[in-house]
Amino acid sequence: MEQDISIEYIAKLRAAVKKKQNEKRFEHTLGVAYTAACMAFGTEVPPLKAELAGLLHDCAKCYTDKELIELCRKNGVELSDEELASPQVIHAKYGAYLVRHEFEIKDEDIINAVCYHTTGRPDMSTLEKIIFTADYIEPLRDKASDLDIARRLAFTDLDECVYEILSATVTYLRSKNASIVSDTLNAYEWYKSHRKDDQ
């Protein structure tokens, strides 16, 4: 179901999210929302829809890992063993629950964009790819060594950008001997196998 989105609704949502987040997290959220809206201009995704998804992507980031696990169990949000072993991804899954039940968003594309913004998944929708990418490249991000490449690709070849982000993420996690959830690995393999022949 397509969400009916107005500028007034975005302003109301921005105020609600601001109350949930500390200043640093809210600045990141605004960066993702504005980056997503800009990325949407070159696609079929309405910019306000991308901005809305960006505003909500970290709506559950205000909780600790322990709190998130407890909230998921309390509200019937199933967590796999691999998610419990990689608790940094759980905020996205519980965030999708909040988007549906607290913010009363009916658009499955927005809900999925929040749910998979951390892990990715194979064959993402354009909005999912936008939020996944905007979270990585927004202006306040400065740690990843490939940011310049990702920021250029985000506006020239979104699928290749998603692949580059997934590749960098998998490489980093493997270097740390950290757990990698199957959504991320499957997404990496899918986007790797669907790269253009000349790459």
Side-chain angles (χ1 to χ4, degrees), residues 16 31 46 113 138-139 151 168 174:
E138 63 95 357
R151 284 171 173 154
R174 283 175 173 165

Side-chain angles (χ1 to χ4, degrees), residues 69 73 78-87 89-90 93 179-182:
I69 292 169
R73 287 173 175 160
E78 292 187 15
L79 297 175
S80 65
D81 289 341
E82 63 179 16
E83 287 168 335
L84 291 169
S86 303
V89 307
I90 297 175
K93 196 164 189 178
S179 298
I180 308 175
V181 297
S182 56

Side-chain angles (χ1 to χ4, degrees), residues 65-83:
D65 292 343
K66 182 179 178 182
E67 288 171 335
L68 283 167
I69 292 169
E70 291 173 353
L71 286 165
C72 284
R73 287 173 175 160
K74 177 182 177 182
N75 291 289
V77 179
E78 292 187 15
L79 297 175
S80 65
D81 289 341
E82 63 179 16
E83 287 168 335

Side-chain angles (χ1 to χ4, degrees), residues 65 109 152:
D65 292 343
D109 199 21
R152 175 177 55 80

Side-chain angles (χ1 to χ4, degrees), residues 5 10 29 32-41 43 45-57 110 113 126-127 130-131 134:
I5 304 166
I10 290 286
T29 291
V32 173
Y34 296 151
T35 300
C38 290
M39 290 176 64
F41 281 122
T43 75
V45 177
L48 286 180
K49 180 174 177 175
E51 184 176 354
L52 185 153
L55 283 171
L56 291 176
H57 85 284
I110 294 171
T126 302
L127 179 64
I130 285 173
I131 301 304

Side-chain angles (χ1 to χ4, degrees), residues 14-51:
R14 191 185 301 121
V17 171
K18 185 175 183 179
K19 290 178 181 178
K20 279 180 162 283
Q21 298 179 336
N22 63 35
E23 184 177 354
K24 184 176 180 181
R25 177 62 50 189
F26 186 62
E27 287 299 318
H28 163 71
T29 291
L30 291 180
V32 173
Y34 296 151
T35 300
C38 290
M39 290 176 64
F41 281 122
T43 75
E44 75 281 7
V45 177
L48 286 180
K49 180 174 177 175
E51 184 176 354

Side-chain angles (χ1 to χ4, degrees), residues 70-142:
E70 291 173 353
L71 286 165
C72 284
R73 287 173 175 160
K74 177 182 177 182
N75 291 289
V77 179
E78 292 187 15
L79 297 175
S80 65
D81 289 341
E82 63 179 16
E83 287 168 335
L84 291 169
S86 303
Q88 68 274 12
V89 307
I90 297 175
H91 76 279
K93 196 164 189 178
Y94 189 65
Y97 173 87
L98 291 179
V99 169
R100 187 189 298 275
H101 296 282
E102 181 176 326
F103 292 97
E104 300 180 339
I105 300 295
K106 308 301 183 189
D107 191 319
E108 292 294 330
D109 199 21
I110 294 171
I111 294 166
N112 287 333
V114 173
C115 189
Y116 297 103
H117 82 268
T118 299
T119 61
R121 67 167 172 168
D123 198 16
M124 288 185 278
S125 72
T126 302
L127 179 64
E128 288 174 64
K129 289 184 283 190
I130 285 173
I131 301 304
F132 177 81
T133 300
D135 186 38
Y136 192 85
I137 69 167
E138 63 95 357
L140 295 180
R141 294 293 201 194
D142 61 1

